[in-house]
Amino acid sequence: MVCVHGAGVSSREFQPFLEVLGRRHDAWTVDLPGFGPSGGPRRPLGMRALADALAEWLTAVGLDQAVLLGGSFGCQVAVDAAVRHPHRIAGLVLVGPTVDPAARSFIRQLLRWMRNAPHERASMAPLNLADYRDAGARRVVGAFTESLRDRIEDKLPHVLLPTLVVRGAQDRLVPQGWAEEVTRLLPAGRLAVVEGSGHMVPYRQPHALAGLVTEFLADEFAAAGDEDEAGPQEQRSAR
Amino acid sequence: MRASKAVASFDSATGMLRALSRFLAGRDVPALGQVPAAFELPLSGLLGGLNRLPVAVQERAYAASGWAEAIPQRRVGEVRSEALAAWVTGHYPRRRYPVIFIGSSNGALIHLAAALDAAWLPQTLLLPVRRRGVAPDDPVGDLAAVEGAGRALLAANPDLVLHHMHDPNQDRLMIAGMTYFRVKWRRLPEAYRRFIHDHLAPGGLVVGVDCTLRWPTTRIDDRYVFQFGALGDATPDEYRQGGPRVADLLARYGAPVRRWHPPAADGESPEAEWGLEPALLDDIRAFAGQHRIDLDLLRFDTPQRLSPAVADLYRSWYADRGLPTGRLLVESFLLLEPWWALRTGSVPYWTVFGTETFRAGLETYLNATDPYDEIRILLFNHGTDSIGLAGAQDWRRTAARARKIGVLTGVDGAVYPRDFAGFVRSHRELSQIRTRYPMPLPLNAASAAAALAARGGIGWHSAK
């Protein structure tokens, strides 16, 4: 399982989740080029370039048949990668997939983000600020702009891999209607709603999410899961 | 006394009448059709606030809302059956209908009527009557306290039968300060005759809806019976003889007794809420013969019987229209949405209450039919942890049988069955489903009749 972070932030947001999931599965999290401590070109990369970098990284570290878990904008990167590099990827988990086409504008997203804020943990704010500082204003704005420009709804019907869609019950950025629409557009999608969480489910409800992911992996990749259990259990976090 | 004041707004018959009449006017049912859609959001917030109160306060608020709707005993004799019937027919848009159903209340029937562009005239209405100083677990005391009012009602209305109903299991909050008078017409009231005369399309069909469910009763007078308990998970024997589930319920609610002592039953009568008093059919038959109107009879033994049949009818109807058939909407008691069901291409499956029996019925249906991609379940909040109630988790498990999306719609699992905002939220969440379809032309009654009559337990035939 490889986790892909949201717009402007980094792998830090997945740390609590990986601590839980890493006990059961071979779990990784990546920093996309230019985010967190990862280096990158001066100009922010577009969606295709980010997805290609992710696929190249999978090749470089020799991960075959990985399951990608995207958080927010990370879902868009994961979906783009899955559509164009399906042979490298076995399945997807889309946690809070953005962007709802019914609110595709900077102002609307900002309003939704403000409505969502009370449902997040306060301890996440300093992490996000550190991530924004690392990435720099240009890349942060670039990622948000790319997020608004990318039409995930056009790609979802082409994702033939088993996909679990996860939504926090109080997520104001991803309303239930949009989460259902995402699931419906996926030929092999399934929706799960996590109680007591806003948009950032991996940070807010790491145990609940790990439970859902484990169940999903067992249902969809039963044979692969058996192999995992036979091998040594080890958490590897790659940056 | 104005009929709209006398009739309960929280009852099945009223809820179904509202849902169907609004559908026939091209409208959906926000907040059970009782407030304009614009108030929905603030109302949802306000009621959501009530959910944070302690359980005892919530229960009192629930009981008070029922009491506020009930009529004082001294005014029961002012209720007029004709005014009630005119109030019913006044709901429907003034136009011609190809089919008019008359008789038993039934949620699946409402969807059948919506599909056929048909009206439905209920046989039974609920008149809640205030009374003081009787505990919910004292049926004899309840009968003694309101018997006089019951007799006054009947003396003023020779065409009504009174089913005085007392259910300390499912209605224990409501009956804390009131009593349930369910009245049934045994003759076709003048307003119904006029409605059929003015609004049945030429060559149209009248269908008597006969749910034959019966329940043990105590006869008080010629047209007056007392029914203790009602259809749900508890059996008539549990209501009368008690048992571990009854003792457990009474202990949980801090009652001073561990079983009930109702008046002895001396026979069976049509179930107060769902069953049909057959005397009405004779009158409908005579009326139809006199005016040369085609009359059919739709007969089934228990309210849930129609639900899978109507669900399959909708499913094949969607297939015929070239629409996807993978979306199921499970409804509960009076939470009905015929407009949104059709608008979202949802197959409607109605459950009577949220108990294990009706959940098992849904599971049986799901076992027998092609899998659904999406299952949405609405749950009616009746305020009480009654015998056999299935929890939100149980219903969630059933919803999870969907291939893609299995959700409880408008349900706050943490506070069910005391979720005050659920009445409002379910409609709001349904209206957020994004895939929608154009409204269809009505189904043909003859083909619907053939499809339903082909199923076991349902009869649909000419009544001549």
Side-chain angles (χ1 to χ4, degrees):
Chain A
M1 158 103 11
V2 177
C3 302
V4 187
H5 60 78
V9 292
S10 77
S11 58
R12 283 191 188 105
E13 68 175 13
F14 286 114
Q15 288 306 337
F17 171 64
L18 278 193
E19 273 166 33
V20 182
L21 189 73
R23 285 181 216 137
R24 306 176 202 168
H25 294 282
D26 188 10
W28 301 66
T29 176
V30 295
D31 285 318
L32 294 171
F35 297 97
S38 160
R42 276 171 51 89
R43 289 177 63 87
L45 294 178
M47 177 62 70
R48 280 185 84 126
L50 290 172
D52 287 345
L54 178 63
E56 283 163 25
W57 179 82
L58 290 175
T59 313
V61 296
L63 278 181
D64 272 327
Q65 300 296 301
V67 174
L68 296 183
L69 181 145
S72 195
F73 173 68
C75 298
Q76 292 173 267
V77 178
V79 164
D80 198 77
V83 171
R84 290 184 303 106
H85 307 280
H87 48 283
R88 293 226 68 88
I89 298 159
L92 293 181
V93 180
L94 305 179
V95 186
T98 49
V99 168
D100 179 1
R104 196 194 300 283
S105 83
F106 184 74
I107 295 294
R108 285 189 188 169
Q109 286 297 311
L110 183 70
L111 289 173
R112 284 188 173 191
W113 182 81
M114 283 160 60
R115 284 180 61 212
N116 179 70
H119 301 287
E120 300 297 350
R121 267 195 212 294
S123 63
M124 205 175 62
L127 295 186
N128 288 355
L129 287 175
D131 285 339
Y132 294 154
R133 187 200 56 214
D134 288 350
R138 198 173 176 190
R139 286 207 189 95
V140 172
V141 172
F144 280 108
T145 309
E146 199 59 24
S147 170
L148 284 176
R149 195 183 294 147
D150 175 59
R151 290 185 177 268
I152 191 175
E153 66 272 25
D154 293 341
K155 299 176 200 167
L156 291 169
H158 305 293
V159 177
L160 303 175
L161 311 169
T163 304
L164 175 68
V165 180
V166 181
R167 171 179 183 260
Q170 283 80 40
D171 188 343
R172 297 290 177 255
L173 279 154
V174 179
Q176 179 73 15
W178 168 236
E180 290 183 6
E181 189 69 24
V182 167
T183 315
R184 203 172 290 130
L185 288 170
L186 288 161
R190 212 183 142 75
L191 176 68
V193 178
V194 177
E195 298 292 331
S197 177
H199 187 55
M200 302 304 291
V201 182
Y203 197 82
R204 186 78 210 243
Q205 296 284 0
H207 289 275
L209 181 60
L212 285 173
V213 167
T214 303
E215 214 172 281
F216 170 69
L217 294 177
D219 287 350
E220 301 291 344
F221 311 100
D226 291 346
E227 278 170 36
D228 272 358
E229 274 167 34
Q233 294 290 299
E234 182 187 6
Q235 181 197 338
R236 279 174 288 168
S237 176
R239 293 233 167 146
Chain B
M1 154 157 266
R2 268 176 41 211
S4 58
K5 289 273 172 214
V7 180
S9 71
F10 55 81
D11 183 44
S12 53
T14 321
M16 290 168 188
L17 176 63
R18 264 194 313 252
L20 181 60
S21 58
R22 289 181 70 96
F23 171 83
L24 293 171
R27 296 157 76 193
D28 58 346
V29 197
L32 301 177
Q34 297 198 81
V35 295
F39 294 146
E40 211 172 36
L41 194 59
L43 191 64
S44 172
L46 183 75
L47 294 171
L50 279 177
N51 286 345
R52 303 216 170 91
L53 298 174
V55 169
V57 180
Q58 284 179 9
E59 290 185 341
R60 225 165 277 167
Y62 198 95
S65 73
W67 181 86
E69 259 202 65
I71 52 176
Q73 274 192 50
R74 58 184 162 77
R75 298 198 62 188
V76 174
E78 298 169 27
V79 173
R80 288 295 172 272
S81 131
E82 264 316 319
L84 297 178
W87 173 81
V88 169
T89 57
H91 278 73
Y92 288 105
R94 309 280 105 185
R95 61 180 175 85
R96 298 275 183 175
Y97 298 96
V99 179
I100 296 176
F101 291 99
I102 307 175
S104 294
S105 307
N106 189 290
L109 176 80
I110 296 307
H111 286 285
L112 177 64
L116 301 179
D117 191 33
W120 162 69
L121 305 173
Q123 179 186 40
T124 306
L125 292 177
L126 171 59
L127 313 177
V129 179
R130 284 182 196 170
R131 70 126 163 68
R132 282 165 184 277
V134 179
D137 302 306
D138 179 11
V140 174
D142 178 54
L143 180 57
V146 296
E147 191 181 330
R151 289 182 191 275
L153 175 71
L154 291 174
N157 298 286
D159 57 344
L160 292 182
V161 181
L162 172 59
H163 291 240
H164 175 178
M165 195 183 118
H166 189 94
D167 181 3
N169 173 28
Q170 297 170 109
D171 302 326
R172 64 180 298 115
L173 292 186
M174 282 297 186
I175 61 173
M178 67 150 106
T179 209
Y180 277 21
F181 276 4
R182 288 197 190 275
V183 293
K184 291 183 189 288
W185 277 284
R186 48 182 204 140
R187 303 227 169 74
L188 201 57
E190 187 51 40
Y192 281 14
R193 290 168 191 264
R194 216 168 36 239
F195 184 81
I196 297 170
H197 188 266
D198 294 346
H199 299 292
L200 186 66
L205 176 70
V206 171
V207 182
V209 183
D210 181 10
C211 175
T212 57
L213 183 73
R214 297 173 77 78
W215 198 265
T217 51
T218 310
R219 185 152 293 281
I220 310 299
D221 206 338
D222 184 27
R223 288 179 287 125
Y224 187 169
V225 293
F226 180 78
Q227 174 177 320
F228 184 67
L231 179 69
D233 261 40
T235 63
D237 276 353
E238 279 181 299
Y239 276 108
R240 297 199 162 266
Q241 269 100 47
R245 297 203 298 171
V246 173
D248 173 59
L249 173 87
L250 291 169
R252 277 189 282 125
Y253 279 91
V257 292
R258 287 296 170 267
R259 57 160 291 202
W260 295 299
H261 298 277
D266 53 14
E268 280 197 336
S269 305
E271 205 278 337
E273 186 165 10
W274 313 109
L276 186 88
E277 163 59 50
L280 179 67
L281 285 182
D282 300 335
D283 215 33
I284 298 174
R285 220 174 254 127
F287 174 80
Q290 191 187 344
H291 293 88
R292 296 164 187 252
I293 294 171
D294 283 340
L295 176 67
D296 278 6
L297 200 60
L298 170 60
R299 183 169 280 158
F300 46 94
D301 55 351
T302 181
Q304 195 71 80
R305 186 73 63 199
L306 273 189
S307 299
V310 170
D312 284 346
L313 182 70
Y314 264 69
R315 216 172 186 189
S316 59
W317 187 23
Y318 290 151
D320 292 345
R321 290 167 60 203
L323 302 183
T325 60
R327 189 177 275 174
L328 182 69
L329 173 64
V330 179
E331 298 176 322
S332 181
F333 192 53
L334 62 71
L335 282 178
L336 294 164
E337 271 292 355
W339 195 87
W340 278 111
L342 277 170
R343 184 48 111 204
T344 59
S346 299
V347 172
Y349 179 99
W350 175 72
T351 59
V352 182
F353 298 121
T355 64
E356 277 300 343
T357 303
F358 300 112
R359 190 173 77 95
L362 171 61
E363 292 269 352
T364 307
Y365 167 68
L366 291 174
N367 291 341
T369 189
D370 289 339
Y372 279 95
D373 291 329
E374 302 182 18
I375 299 178
R376 279 183 189 74
I377 300 183
L378 310 180
L379 291 178
F380 178 80
N381 283 267
H382 72 324
T384 315
D385 288 304
S386 50
I387 292 170
L389 188 75
Q393 277 308 332
D394 302 316
W395 284 103
R396 202 167 270 139
R397 272 206 312 282
T398 304
R401 294 185 59 172
R403 282 198 291 213
K404 290 189 144 190
I405 300 166
V407 287
L408 304 187
T409 296
V411 177
D412 181 347
V415 280
Y416 176 77
R418 278 174 289 273
D419 179 8
F420 290 88
F423 301 105
V424 186
R425 219 190 289 118
S426 56
H427 171 268
R428 281 194 63 217
E429 291 190 6
L430 274 183
S431 64
Q432 286 160 5
I433 299 176
R434 297 196 178 177
T435 325
R436 304 192 182 165
Y437 303 98
M439 281 293 179
L441 293 172
L443 260 184
N444 170 282
S447 58
L452 262 60
R455 319 226 0 160
I458 299 173
W460 186 327
H461 49 78
S462 170
K464 279 185 180 164

